[in-house]
Amino acid sequence: LARPKLGIDAATVAAARLFAQSDAKLLRSISQAEKPRPDSPWEKKQRVTAAKAARKRAMQYAMHRAEFKANRHRMRTGELEWIFNPAQCYLHRFTDFDDLKGPIERLDNWLGEDLRNEALIGFEAYLQRTDLPSSIEVSEALASDIHKGALGPIFAGLLERLRVGKELSDLPRGVLLSALLAHNRNMGSRNGEKWPDLRGALKSILIVDAGGFESYHRLVIEPQLARHKVHVEGLFEFTHTPEYPQVVAKLAEEWLCANPNLPHSIEIDLVDALIQARAIPAVRNVSRARAPRILASEDEARAWWSIDWLTDFENFGAAMSGIGKGHREFLFNIRDRLGRDRRQITVHLPIEQLRWAIEEFRAVWPNIPRPNGSTEGSMNAWDASDLVKSFIYQLANDSTPTATAAFRHLIASANDSYSAEILHAAAEQEQRRSELEFQPMTVDQLSSILMDGPPRSIDELRVLILEEIADQQKKLHGSDTDRVAVFWEKAGKPALENWCRDRFAELISPYLEQYQIMLIPERDMPADKRADLVFGIGDLQLPMEIKGQWHNDVWDAASGQLDSLYLRDWRSQGTGLYLVFWFGNVKSETGRRLKPVPSGFQSPTTPEEMRRLLVSRIPADRRHVIDVVILDLTRN
């Protein structure tokens, strides 16, 4: 089986003899295998056929050489008739020379060294001719799928220049443009032969600025758009060139407006180019112009929906709520608008759209792991899951309070396969936000704290007031005198709310004076409103709303009064305190019993339960600026 044409090699024979030992029959077989193998009938026939073909080819080449010798002056001057076939040979477009590697070897084999030199001179002469087709003619011909034979010698001449290290920049611009246009259509050499980088050399001359980029791509693309080509050569390169986004946006909008009936795939490519260039007003204009048109398929409809959703969310977002239930593939249409590469998103969504997308698709595309060895598909479950998670972590990268509020909404709205992911991302966002908002303490602030000086910020004022209230709470129930009695009437009835407020102010004010904090009752606030108490120092004013447990608005005053009315004051910096007087389970005839809780909640039995219930009634994004305090005034 291993016997080659010239017999088995010596090493194999030696191993075979050692194996054969004294087996005479096997030794004779080995001796026979050492000899060259005779030709088979098929090989003999092939050899005869090849010899005949070689003789015939030699006769043809001799005739060709005689013809070219008789017209060598026409070849030298670059006449197309006499330079075309040598150019084809140079570019490896003749199969006769597949066993020869380079253009010079091919020309030598066919024409001989003397005529080969004449052909190379002719290639150079051809580049300088004035009767070549213009770049516009070449562009129109290529758009009509007409391949001009005049381009072959141009390629040969340019490649020969690069082969010998000669520059291209001195040649007419039209010749270079024609070559670059044809290069887009793979009209160079065949068989994968390695050539100098002709395309790179041409682009370095022709496309050096925005003007060159624009004029070249007009020449490439506009004739194809006019013919409604389904596949436009050069469009991918045009839409994926990041160096000239303004030119891309300008031409994409112009072409879309000038060609209202383009094939869908071409339209979407151009619209996506506008999106990538952030030319959102232009996209809206195009979408509105296309709105009356009847679309051919649901895929086309979803593509335009995603364009409207992305670029005009204010008008279309609410109307599209619930679309995931009937068109869960819409998630992938959104993905296609956000980045040309499915694995990399380049257009980042605002917070509201991220929240919308997470909420819309978390139920219809459950969180599942990517199977081992899987690849990215068009619309599979694990890619959808990865995309939803990418939205979650995009939201986590936003360190604003609005993003925090969006996370709180997502956490509260559902408990599903993404909940753990959302909780983790929300924690990351909170941590990132706290790090960004952290302000290092100044020397003056540190000195003030160490010296127990007055507060210098609204947060210091908040902390100090809360500490003093906590101290007073301990003293109310921890002293040997009945300090709580002042908050009760003699008949065992809780005192009126305003009375309790004033007594609370009397308790706390002496301890605040040492910090130069003023306590102002019934302080005027914006919109002709009055806060129950205001703690002020310098330009800082911390408003406090106070309610007795029986008050009609006790459950909603933190948001309905304090937040919406008093925290507008610029001096509060959006921060306030809500204090409720807790008297516990008093008799109904006192009229001071706890106000019934809102529907769906359990009535609290302790001050801490009431505090938790009141906090839950405050919107999640406002809880960090409103402190709820329950002052326990119960009597044993």
Side-chain angles (χ1 to χ4, degrees):
L1 291 177
R3 185 180 182 188
K5 178 69 175 173
L6 299 179
I8 296 177
D9 64 274
T12 305
V13 168
R17 290 189 184 280
L18 183 63
F19 175 77
Q21 296 184 0
S22 59
D23 188 327
K25 185 176 180 180
L26 183 51
L27 288 171
R28 285 195 299 273
S29 297
I30 294 170
S31 297
Q32 184 67 26
E34 287 185 273
K35 300 174 183 178
R37 179 171 54 82
D39 288 342
S40 66
W42 178 83
E43 289 172 322
K44 291 177 182 178
K45 183 178 180 180
Q46 286 292 101
R47 190 168 60 253
V48 171
T49 302
K52 286 182 180 179
R55 289 194 296 271
K56 181 178 179 181
R57 188 164 51 249
M59 290 174 61
Q60 288 175 334
Y61 288 1
M63 291 172 59
H64 295 163
R65 288 172 184 176
E67 265 191 291
F68 280 112
K69 281 181 181 179
N71 293 277
R72 69 168 60 217
H73 65 287
R74 301 176 72 181
M75 184 191 298
R76 286 176 62 89
T77 57
E79 289 190 24
L80 181 59
E81 180 183 355
W82 295 97
I83 207 69
F84 178 79
N85 281 328
Q88 298 294 88
C89 178
Y90 185 97
L91 296 172
H92 207 170
R93 292 177 181 168
F94 292 155
T95 57
D96 288 4
F97 308 107
D98 282 352
D99 57 338
L100 300 173
K101 293 185 178 179
I104 303 303
E105 290 81 356
R106 290 193 290 273
L107 286 173
D108 281 351
N109 185 268
W110 181 34
L111 300 178
E113 184 176 350
D114 181 43
L115 287 172
R116 175 253 291 171
N117 290 330
E118 299 286 4
L120 297 181
I121 293 171
F123 295 160
E124 179 64 27
Y126 187 80
L127 296 175
Q128 310 290 345
R129 292 182 69 93
T130 59
D131 58 350
L132 299 181
S134 69
S135 56
I136 295 176
E137 291 175 317
V138 170
S139 176
E140 294 287 346
L142 293 174
S144 300
D145 295 320
I146 299 172
H147 295 177
K148 284 187 171 290
L151 294 170
I154 292 179
F155 275 121
L158 296 176
L159 287 168
E160 179 58 19
R161 275 199 170 208
L162 293 179
R163 189 185 71 83
V164 300
K166 190 175 180 180
E167 292 291 331
L168 307 182
S169 55
D170 62 314
L171 292 170
R173 184 177 181 84
V175 172
L176 301 179
L177 273 172
S178 295
L180 187 54
L181 288 168
H183 208 295
N184 286 335
R185 303 297 291 268
N186 297 318
M187 295 181 66
S189 61
R190 60 184 290 275
N191 288 349
E193 184 171 333
K194 291 184 179 179
W195 293 92
D197 183 13
L198 176 58
R199 180 178 177 79
L202 292 170
K203 290 181 68 175
S204 69
I205 298 170
L206 298 171
I207 308 177
V208 295
D209 55 22
F213 177 82
E214 178 178 344
S215 60
Y216 169 69
H217 283 95
R218 283 189 183 277
L219 198 60
V220 174
I221 294 172
E222 287 181 351
Q224 299 181 74
L225 294 180
R227 289 163 175 78
H228 291 85
K229 303 279 285 189
V230 176
H231 176 72
V232 175
E233 295 287 348
L235 183 62
F236 183 87
E237 178 189 36
F238 169 75
T239 58
H240 287 71
T241 301
E243 290 85 358
Y244 306 108
Q246 293 180 335
V247 177
V248 171
K250 169 189 169 183
L251 294 185
E253 182 178 11
E254 179 183 329
W255 292 337
L256 285 164
C257 292
N259 300 276
N261 296 308
L262 289 172
H264 173 70
S265 61
I266 305 302
E267 279 192 326
I268 296 301
D269 283 346
L270 291 173
V271 169
D272 284 346
L274 286 174
I275 292 172
Q276 294 295 318
R278 310 301 192 267
I280 303 306
V283 178
R284 289 178 186 154
N285 292 338
V286 170
S287 180
R288 287 165 187 165
R290 299 298 197 269
R293 192 173 63 187
I294 298 175
L295 300 176
S297 67
E298 184 181 307
D299 289 342
E300 290 187 18
R302 285 203 311 268
W304 284 106
W305 295 346
S306 66
I307 291 166
D308 289 335
W309 178 87
L310 179 63
T311 61
D312 203 1
F313 183 76
E314 183 177 349
N315 290 321
F316 287 94
M320 290 185 180
S321 292
I323 193 174
K325 295 179 181 178
H327 302 275
R328 69 176 192 158
E329 299 85 358
F330 185 57
L331 174 64
F332 294 97
N333 295 103
I334 291 176
R335 176 194 63 185
D336 292 342
R337 305 289 78 78
L338 300 181
R340 297 200 178 94
D341 184 346
R342 290 175 175 174
R343 292 165 293 182
Q344 184 177 9
I345 291 176
T346 54
V347 176
H348 295 286
L349 295 171
I351 291 172
E352 185 59 25
Q353 282 176 277
L354 285 171
R355 186 198 62 74
W356 186 98
I358 296 166
E359 199 164 36
E360 190 72 29
F361 296 107
R362 65 189 292 184
V364 296
W365 290 108
N367 185 7
I368 63 171
R370 179 178 292 273
N372 291 332
S374 65
T375 57
E376 203 173 90
S378 57
M379 287 187 285
N380 60 55
W382 51 88
D383 281 338
S385 176
D386 286 348
L387 190 57
V388 173
K389 286 183 282 190
S390 78
F391 290 155
I392 292 170
Y393 285 100
Q394 278 186 60
L395 187 58
N397 287 332
D398 191 303
S399 303
T400 63
T402 309
T404 304
F407 267 120
R408 288 171 179 166
H409 176 84
L410 291 170
I411 292 168
S413 64
N415 183 17
D416 56 23
S417 57
Y418 290 97
S419 294
E421 205 88 40
I422 291 171
L423 286 168
H424 176 73
E428 285 187 358
Q429 192 269 347
E430 291 268 18
Q431 177 67 25
R432 186 177 292 108
R433 179 181 165 197
S434 65
E435 290 171 356
L436 289 174
E437 292 179 351
F438 172 73
Q439 295 292 330
M441 188 177 296
T442 66
V443 174
D444 288 344
Q445 288 172 323
L446 179 60
S447 174
S448 175
I449 292 173
L450 294 176
M451 300 298 294
D452 203 19
R456 294 173 176 266
S457 70
I458 198 71
D459 285 331
E460 287 185 22
L461 180 59
R462 283 173 66 188
V463 171
L464 190 147
I465 299 300
L466 292 171
E467 286 182 351
E468 291 300 333
I469 294 174
D471 284 346
Q472 290 303 318
Q473 178 69 81
K474 293 176 183 176
K475 292 174 182 177
L476 284 170
H477 287 288
S479 69
D480 54 0
T481 60
D482 188 7
R483 293 193 176 194
V484 175
V486 71
F487 293 93
W488 291 76
E489 296 178 1
K490 292 183 179 180
K493 176 181 179 180
L496 293 173
E497 187 178 275
N498 286 349
W499 172 274
C500 293
R501 179 200 65 196
D502 295 341
R503 303 294 79 74
F504 168 74
E506 290 172 357
L507 279 178
I508 199 170
S509 58
Y511 299 92
L512 300 180
E513 290 173 358
Q514 62 181 306
Y515 298 108
Q516 303 169 29
I517 298 172
M518 297 176 60
L519 195 158
I520 310 167
E522 297 289 342
R523 179 61 185 254
D524 289 336
M525 302 302 288
D528 294 327
K529 301 297 181 181
R530 292 175 179 271
D532 286 318
L533 289 178
V534 170
F535 302 93
I537 179 170
D539 287 337
L540 304 176
Q541 290 204 6
L542 184 66
M544 172 184 276
E545 178 63 20
I546 297 175
K547 290 283 184 281
Q549 68 178 30
W550 57 87
H551 197 285
N552 288 337
D553 298 325
V554 68
W555 300 113
D556 300 304
S559 298
Q561 281 183 252
L562 178 64
D563 195 12
S564 64
L565 300 176
Y566 308 154
L567 301 193
R568 299 183 195 175
D569 192 302
W570 64 273
R571 293 164 294 188
S572 74
Q573 299 182 22
T575 302
L577 304 176
Y578 182 45
L579 177 70
V580 175
F581 296 131
W582 170 269
F583 289 88
N585 187 20
V586 297
K587 296 178 180 180
S588 59
E589 56 265 26
T590 64
R592 304 284 195 269
R593 289 181 66 84
L594 177 67
K595 186 69 178 177
V597 298
S599 176
F601 292 92
Q602 186 174 356
S603 184
T605 58
T606 66
E608 180 55 29
E609 287 180 6
M610 185 168 190
R611 193 193 72 82
R612 286 198 297 267
L613 178 53
L614 287 170
V615 169
S616 72
R617 302 279 293 170
I618 300 172
D621 60 330
R622 299 295 294 159
R623 293 173 191 169
H624 66 290
V625 292
I626 298 176
D627 292 296
V628 177
V629 180
I630 308 298
L631 192 65
D632 184 0
L633 301 175
T634 55
R635 303 180 73 176
N636 293 331

